[in-house]
Amino acid sequence: MASTYLSRTPSSAGNQKTFTISTWVKFHQFTPEKFILSSGAYGGSRSFQVASGTNAQLDVQSNSNGVADYFIRTNRVFRDVLGWFHIVVAVDTTQATSTDRVKIYVNGVQETSFSSASYPSLNFDTGLNSTQEHQINGRPSTSDYGSVNHTHFHLIDGTAYDASAFGETDATTGIWKPKTAPSVTYGTNGFFLKFENSGSMGTDSSPNGNNLTVNGTLTQTVDTPSNVFATLNSEYSNVAGLTFSNGNNTITNSGAWLSSISTLGMQKGKWYCEVKLISGTNHSLGVIEYSGSSSDSYYNGANIVNQGLIGGYGKNWGWYGWTGSFRYGANVELTTGNTIGVGDIAQIALDYDNGKIWFGKNGTWENSGDPANGTNPIFTGITFTDATFFAFGPENASDSVNFGNGYFGTTPVASAGSNGNGAIFEFDCPNGYYALNTKNINTYG
């Protein structure tokens, strides 16, 4: 996600006292700061920003020449790298009561607990809706870009709305969901980004036509608040030496064995994913079972999967790509198949209910396997008792996983296969198997 952001410099100033920002966001990492929306360079005459800081709290602030005009920081932290948050920031510095001048809502509920709460002065002009450059996912004059997914991004110029203008509670599920066509007035510099046109992601869907410029490579994802797809888990306890990118779908390890797992686990059903080997020689990949308890055999001291070698320790079943060896438990070799290297796409199919695992290379299943028919798995006779996760452990190497979003890194799959059920894979998803996302888990898991 480096150097990937959207920008716009208004030709004329709008209302710098009263405005609303509404967006659905999915965070991936927390260092450096993640700027949701900013305007003006920090240290300049007047800058504004809404950001998730390195401590994963949410900040709303304005600065003049590097000195804070006001600074609001939540006590709440946002370390969930699986789910989406609906964040609304409503600013109205004309309000007589200082605490009414900045309001923050998360998933429809107003935040009331803050670690810092210095409010703007009466009738203060912020740097937003000014003629300075505005950025989503970045801040002018810095290189702090990053890993945030957005959908339904609204900027309102001239009105401070609460969260109910943009979202509502689903009558059936009780879950907070977006209003797809909210009844709001956008004002001079307002815009509405749906991100629905992959070839023009900065298109403004409000009546204003205030299109934003896409800088860098911005990828469209099928991961949405209504159907959340698995990614790699950057908050897993054994990822300190790993680098995550591309929405936590690419993992890079510059040292000895380390691993990461999917953010969603499996306790029933049949599941499929793909991984492309980007660099390096040593790649292990497969499935682990983990109960979440420190007494679990997969737990090692302070870290889970401490060694990172999938198929080397505990309840795990893996493919050692550099030798072609299929191993499980305490590094027990079951059999040997093909090796896999840079440019290859490996496939994993898990039948949790029947205790079977298949591995494939570039569209061909190892051992003449057929997951759809349940024949010739690499591993069989497994009795799972806890949640399982797809797992990836490179050593001095990099992998890009496709959990169904249709990309390896920022590169779309070359030829989408069939049976995706709304997901996009390079090869045919075996009939009866599904991408790891919340809708499929609700239906099939």
Side-chain angles (χ1 to χ4, degrees), residues 92-103 119-123:
D92 185 357
T93 67
T94 69
Q95 294 293 318
T97 303
S98 63
T99 53
D100 289 336
R101 295 171 194 160
V102 179
K103 296 179 180 179
Y119 288 90
S121 59
L122 185 65
N123 293 319

Side-chain angles (χ1 to χ4, degrees), residues 310-321:
I310 312 304
Y313 302 89
K315 298 179 181 179
N316 57 119
W317 300 263
W319 187 3
Y320 290 9

Side-chain angles (χ1 to χ4, degrees), residues 328-386:
Y328 67 97
N331 206 22
V332 177
E333 183 175 36
L334 178 69
T335 185
T336 300
N338 288 305
T339 61
I340 47 176
V342 171
D344 287 330
I345 297 173
Q347 304 153 263
I348 309 173
L350 166 68
D351 181 345
Y352 185 100
D353 300 331
N354 295 299
K356 298 179 180 181
I357 303 172
W358 290 261
F359 293 92
K361 174 183 177 179
N362 299 330
T364 300
W365 293 102
E366 295 289 294
N367 194 36
S368 301
D370 187 345
N373 290 326
T375 56
N376 296 335
I378 296 298
F379 297 104
T380 189
I382 305 169
T383 300
F384 295 114
T385 57
D386 291 302

Side-chain angles (χ1 to χ4, degrees), residues 40-116:
Y42 185 84
S45 60
R46 181 84 32 107
S47 66
F48 171 87
Q49 66 188 50
V50 178
S52 173
T54 55
N55 50 16
Q57 294 162 293
L58 190 67
D59 299 341
V60 180
Q61 61 179 301
S62 180
N63 295 272
S64 296
N65 301 312
V67 178
D69 303 306
Y70 60 87
F71 182 81
I72 316 294
R73 170 172 285 174
T74 64
N75 273 317
R76 178 176 182 165
V77 296
F78 297 81
R79 288 202 175 276
D80 180 357
V81 295
L82 170 63
W84 288 76
F85 297 97
H86 180 216
I87 294 175
V88 174
V89 176
V91 175
D92 185 357
T93 67
T94 69
Q95 294 293 318
T97 303
S98 63
T99 53
D100 289 336
R101 295 171 194 160
V102 179
K103 296 179 180 179
I104 301 171
Y105 303 84
V106 178
N107 296 338
V109 179
Q110 185 176 351
E111 292 290 299
T112 57
S113 178
F114 301 100
S115 65
S116 179

Side-chain angles (χ1 to χ4, degrees), residues 271-275 285-287 317 319 346-350 357-360 365 371 390-392 430 433:
W271 307 98
Y272 174 78
C273 74
E274 301 171 341
V275 56
L285 54 108
V287 173
W317 300 263
W319 187 3
Q347 304 153 263
I348 309 173
L350 166 68
I357 303 172
W358 290 261
F359 293 92
W365 293 102
F390 289 125
F392 307 89
Y433 287 72

Side-chain angles (χ1 to χ4, degrees), residues 232 238-245 250-260 278-284 305-309 392-400:
L232 296 169
N238 185 44
V239 297
L242 300 173
T243 301
F244 295 84
S245 57
T250 297
I251 177 176
T252 301
N253 179 21
S254 58
W257 294 108
L258 291 171
S259 64
S260 183
I278 304 301
S279 66
T281 301
N282 295 343
H283 304 260
S284 67
V305 285
N306 187 56
Q307 291 79 10
L309 189 60
F392 307 89
E395 180 188 44
N396 286 303
S398 179
D399 299 330
S400 282

